[in-house]
Amino acid sequence: MRGRGSIGRHLNRQLQVHRLQTTDDGHGGQSTEMVLQGSVRAKVDQPSPTERLIAQQAQTRHSHNVYLLPGADVRRGDELRGSDVLGHAQTFRVQAVVQPSTPVYSKALVELVQNEGEPDG
């Protein structure tokens, strides 16, 4: 992902963006659920050794980097859902979204959410 130019050719996956939404239930309460916002083109990578060390020191759960187009509407707390190259479903919880000083791409720092009994992704 280094260098100038278009990142678009590197974005080899489609991920669905789900965002927490709270709505009135009509009976004086509220319900909260993850709601599909749309989809984004993305590239999912492992973080560098330095990024892993920083995450460990900060006690955060940064397991993957997700590269996106600079204008992608992805926010902290969103879930990105899709399939890996083998067709296994994956869900990533967004911890933070950052951009370089020249906005050629956005990078979401995410945690792979795994259910009991699932293989490591």
Side-chain angles (χ1 to χ4, degrees):
M1 292 297 127
R2 301 201 195 301
R4 302 252 188 254
S6 175
I7 187 176
R9 64 190 169 128
H10 299 285
L11 306 180
N12 56 4
R13 291 177 63 177
Q14 282 288 121
L15 297 175
Q16 293 180 333
V17 179
H18 292 257
R19 187 165 295 143
L20 200 59
Q21 186 172 22
T22 302
T23 55
D24 292 330
D25 66 7
H27 302 287
Q30 294 181 324
S31 64
T32 304
E33 63 183 327
M34 295 302 280
V35 176
L36 176 64
Q37 302 296 304
S39 63
V40 292
R41 292 175 50 211
K43 181 176 189 314
V44 178
D45 275 340
Q46 298 289 321
S48 71
T50 302
E51 289 172 320
R52 288 180 197 202
L53 179 61
I54 291 169
Q56 286 175 343
Q57 290 173 342
Q59 297 181 345
T60 62
R61 296 184 166 117
H62 175 197
S63 66
H64 290 78
N65 292 326
V66 177
Y67 293 91
L68 308 155
L69 291 172
D73 185 15
V74 172
R75 305 173 190 175
R76 183 173 192 257
D78 286 353
E79 286 185 355
L80 303 176
R81 301 178 187 173
S83 298
D84 65 13
V85 295
L86 300 175
H88 300 116
Q90 291 183 311
T91 298
F92 300 97
R93 185 169 297 120
V94 178
Q95 305 296 315
V97 179
V98 296
Q99 284 188 336
S101 56
T102 303
V104 211
Y105 62 86
S106 289
K107 180 168 76 171
L109 312 177
V110 303
E111 172 191 11
L112 176 64
V113 179
Q114 291 180 273
N115 294 319
E116 193 82 21
E118 288 183 345
D120 290 342

